[in-house]
Amino acid sequence: MIIGGGVGGTSIAYHLAQLGEREVLLVDRAELTSGSTFHSAGLVGQLRADPTLTRMNSYSAQLYRELQQGEHPPGWVECGGIRLACTPDRMAEVRRQIGWARAFGLPLEEISAEQARELFPLMSTEGVLGGSYLATDGYVDPSQLAYSLAAGARAGGVRIHQHTRVLGIDTRGGRVCRVRTDQGEVECEIVVNCGGMYAAEIARMLDVRVPIVPMSHQYVVTEPVRERDGTHLPTLRDPDNLVYWREEVDGLLMGGYERDSRAWSLGRGELDAIPADFNGKLLAADWERFAEITENAQRRVPVMGELGIRKLINGPEAFTPDNEFCLGETEVPGFFVAAGFCAHGIAGAGGIGRVMAEWIVSGEAGMDVSHMDIRRFGRQYRSPAYTLAKVTENYETYYDIPFPHRQRSAGRPLRVSPVYNWHVQQQAQFGEKSGWERVDYYQNNSYLGDELLRPAGWAGMGWSPAIVAEHRATRTTAGLFDESSFAKIEVSGPGALGLLNWLCANEIDRPVGTVIYTQALNSRGGIECDFTVTRLEPELFRIVTGTAYGSRDLAWLRQHAPRDGSVRIADVTGQYTCFALWGPKSREILAPLTPSSLDNDDFPYMTARSTTVGDVPVQALRVTFVGELGWELYCSAEYGAGLWTSLWENGQEHGLLAAGYKAIDSLRLEKGYRLWGSDLTPDHNPYEAGLGFCVSKDKQFLGRDALLAARERGISRRLRCLVLAEENSVPLGSEPVRVGEEILGRVTTGGFGYTVNKPIAYAYLPAELPEGTEVSVELFGQWVPGTVTREPLVDPKGIRIRSKV
């Protein structure tokens, strides 16, 4: 059953029918489109920073183009789209986006201010430096689109019942089994919550939190501005002035994202339920709050000051804390969500429908939608106040330039390490991830660095010479890192080994005290998780994964766990502090503090031991993410401050430096260590990623058949290391990579290596490209030369990692 007859619900129904599903029922509490769809602005822009969303939006445009030729046209107008730039940074963003477009195969082009005016004659060029134009963008009538998709769904056998209100959702054995409505009960195996602004209320029926907030979003429709002559003005976005336009019949539709936003919520605590009769309705006009947008619009399109206004539309639209959709299966098996469309759901609706239909039928998403996965949100988002703070900030900065090192401020600080105050005293610069305050670098270390290495342009933002000092100290003496934010998951019970050995590509059945680096794959052989597994006891395993991926990895484990009680899975992140001591002098620093032998024979690489450090009981893991000798030390959180103090004080005579995550990133780039979510995704398999050594040849595991089939066909693309020639030209990610004049890939991750003193990038490129191949990477419109290089760039034989006494 699909709950919700907006553009999301009808698109999923349409695509399920396309896949041959006939037992599909869609219900809506009122008429189709009567939630947020009917008052959406309808703009369809295809390009996004994310390749998956760009593919989804491009598919949407193609689908709308095809539907326009059918019996139920959705009002698709392919008029092209302009995006203006009024500041140097915005112009840089335009050029960066053009690079993305090249990598994604979209014909985005740079235009001058005068060219923009020729395309949109009503605009003023005052203050405009230039812009971009994509001829295949356009707009659609949202209601007509939903009805067009509904007609296609009905033709495929989908039943649609309007005026059917959901009263409750029942489970059996923890899985969805029934939906109760005011028209009767419906037995079902799958429920898809496409409730739009009502989605959170629907999910609460199962105690599932969908972190969305309905935000009041306004736009106006003007009186006629020009006679209809068969041509169309392109859509126009002026993000520096927070406004957008499209044609509406013979007038203009104009809206924007004001700095003084309003959430449509009442009272305190859990956001109040939307009134039962709020169907096909709008909110009262708020002209005072719209004044900023009106003034900005008149500067860019002066005729806006003269045109009469037909109406001001004020409608609630569901926004998420990070401006990404909420898609996928929740912690309740069989209960899916497709909500939180954040005012760009019309552009993504076609792609959303296809992705969700494939996900429902196959049990897995067909492409990398991890950043849209409902499971990405941690437990802090069960707080309505925290969610509201994040959503409000997101809405009010909707058109801000997304600088790579931009930090949000809402809801901070929330999750902190036991030594957070120590970090503050050392002038730590914090970054936030999943609610955690994490040290990027210590400003106190700046005087030890080299200001001359500051990267040019955006890569120099959020940079400090302290990063250089912390990197080099870790390579030459030692660095002490607070990794308490790393997600930690314990899997225990008689069925624990069987579960992990099925989910993990690497062999998990190893002696107690072994640390295993592994990936968990999907049925396509793509990488769903990337983590270490430590066998603490015969039936107790601890998984350590990235800060941002704990919630999702936890859900992946629980999704595949047996229901017979033989496996217990617990998030223990907050229970344990983790400090990493890495560097050539780490053994000298640690040895006087522990009774355990640290030599290679007694404590080899990729093993774990229970011991004490100072007065603190710890679990010590000999692992590294920087390519140096060292240990990660885990202790119960109440011991954290004491452990840090012991390590810090004993390390001073050896040149120990406290260091942050910016140094970790540059160190791991030189060593070729991969990042999940960029270098590693569900769309790439371990062989393509250079992680074939993590694949067991002797056991069955999820994704094995697809992985072996891929290897049999031959691996056509691999993750390759690129070293760039210009020292201050540092890639940030997503830049196109070409050989000769042919674009062959895009940067997954990039940065600067302060040991090799070169910019480094990784990209999936044709496997047959030999080392030494000359490439070029486009940085803000300039092609920077580079070379395909053997990796790792530092310590290729791993001698430093396995350093003996």
Side-chain angles (χ1 to χ4, degrees), residues 270-301:
E270 184 64 71
L271 296 180
D272 288 0
I274 296 170
D277 63 348
F278 195 84
N279 306 308
K281 293 183 179 182
L282 296 169
L283 307 177
D286 190 346
W287 285 103
E288 182 178 352
R289 188 161 52 86
F290 202 62
E292 177 185 16
I293 300 301
T294 301
E295 293 170 6
N296 292 352
Q298 291 176 9
R299 282 196 296 272
R300 181 59 56 228
V301 178

Side-chain angles (χ1 to χ4, degrees), residues 35 81 117 160 185 377 398 574 712 734:
R117 192 190 64 79
I160 297 179
E185 297 183 352
F377 292 109
Y398 189 88
E712 184 69 23
S734 290

Side-chain angles (χ1 to χ4, degrees), residues 84-95 127-130 238-241 300 401 403 458:
L84 300 178
C86 301
T87 66
D89 278 336
R90 187 72 69 178
M91 199 67 223
E93 180 192 34
V94 163
R95 290 174 179 144
V128 178
L129 301 182
D238 184 357
D240 291 309
N241 284 300
R300 181 59 56 228
I401 297 173
F403 294 116
W458 286 13

Side-chain angles (χ1 to χ4, degrees), residues 532-601:
T532 60
V533 180
T534 302
R535 193 169 194 177
L536 300 176
E537 299 174 8
E539 295 184 355
L540 174 61
F541 301 81
R542 183 180 297 157
I543 290 171
V544 177
T545 187
T547 303
Y549 312 127
S551 296
R552 189 175 180 278
D553 289 0
L554 182 69
W556 184 260
L557 292 165
R558 286 176 171 166
Q559 176 185 340
H560 294 88
R563 302 287 171 181
D564 59 6
S566 63
V567 179
R568 294 179 295 278
I569 302 172
D571 179 359
V572 296
T573 300
Q575 296 179 31
Y576 297 102
T577 292
C578 173
F579 302 138
L581 176 64
W582 288 319
K585 293 191 175 182
S586 58
R587 183 181 277 119
E588 296 174 48
I589 295 169
L590 188 58
L593 297 173
T594 179
S596 298
S597 171
L598 301 180
D599 66 46
N600 277 1
D601 292 335

Side-chain angles (χ1 to χ4, degrees), residues 613-775:
V613 174
D615 297 328
V616 176
V618 304
Q619 191 77 36
L621 275 61
R622 188 170 168 189
V623 295
T624 181
F625 196 55
V626 299
E628 297 291 336
L629 170 70
W631 287 262
E632 287 182 349
L633 304 171
Y634 294 81
C635 69
S636 186
E638 72 268 21
Y639 291 110
L643 177 59
W644 182 273
T645 299
S646 294
L647 293 167
W648 177 250
E649 292 180 349
N650 200 57
Q652 292 310 289
E653 64 181 290
H654 300 283
L656 176 67
L657 211 63
Y661 278 86
K662 298 288 188 183
I664 289 178
D665 194 49
S666 64
L667 290 157
R668 69 96 196 163
L669 273 170
E670 293 181 330
K671 192 60 182 173
Y673 293 149
R674 280 52 167 145
L675 283 184
W676 195 89
S678 47
D679 301 320
L680 311 176
T681 77
D683 291 340
H684 299 107
N685 68 52
Y687 293 121
E688 293 171 325
L691 298 177
F693 66 91
C694 292
V695 178
S696 171
K697 310 297 190 297
D698 304 319
K699 67 162 189 164
Q700 293 292 325
F701 55 87
L702 177 61
R704 179 178 184 271
D705 292 345
L707 190 59
L708 293 180
R711 189 177 65 174
E712 184 69 23
R713 291 192 302 270
I715 302 301
S716 61
R717 301 180 69 79
R718 296 185 188 276
L719 189 64
R720 310 298 295 275
C721 177
L722 313 178
V723 174
L724 304 191
E726 298 178 7
E727 286 191 4
N728 69 340
S729 297
V730 177
L732 298 166
S734 290
E735 296 90 349
V737 179
R738 72 181 183 186
V739 176
E741 296 299 315
E742 184 180 4
I743 294 174
L744 296 179
R746 66 178 189 89
V747 172
T748 56
T749 55
F752 195 91
Y754 299 104
T755 306
V756 298
N757 287 320
K758 293 287 185 181
I760 305 166
Y762 283 83
Y764 282 93
L765 297 173
E768 67 272 12
L769 284 181
E771 292 171 9
T773 298
E774 295 183 357
V775 301

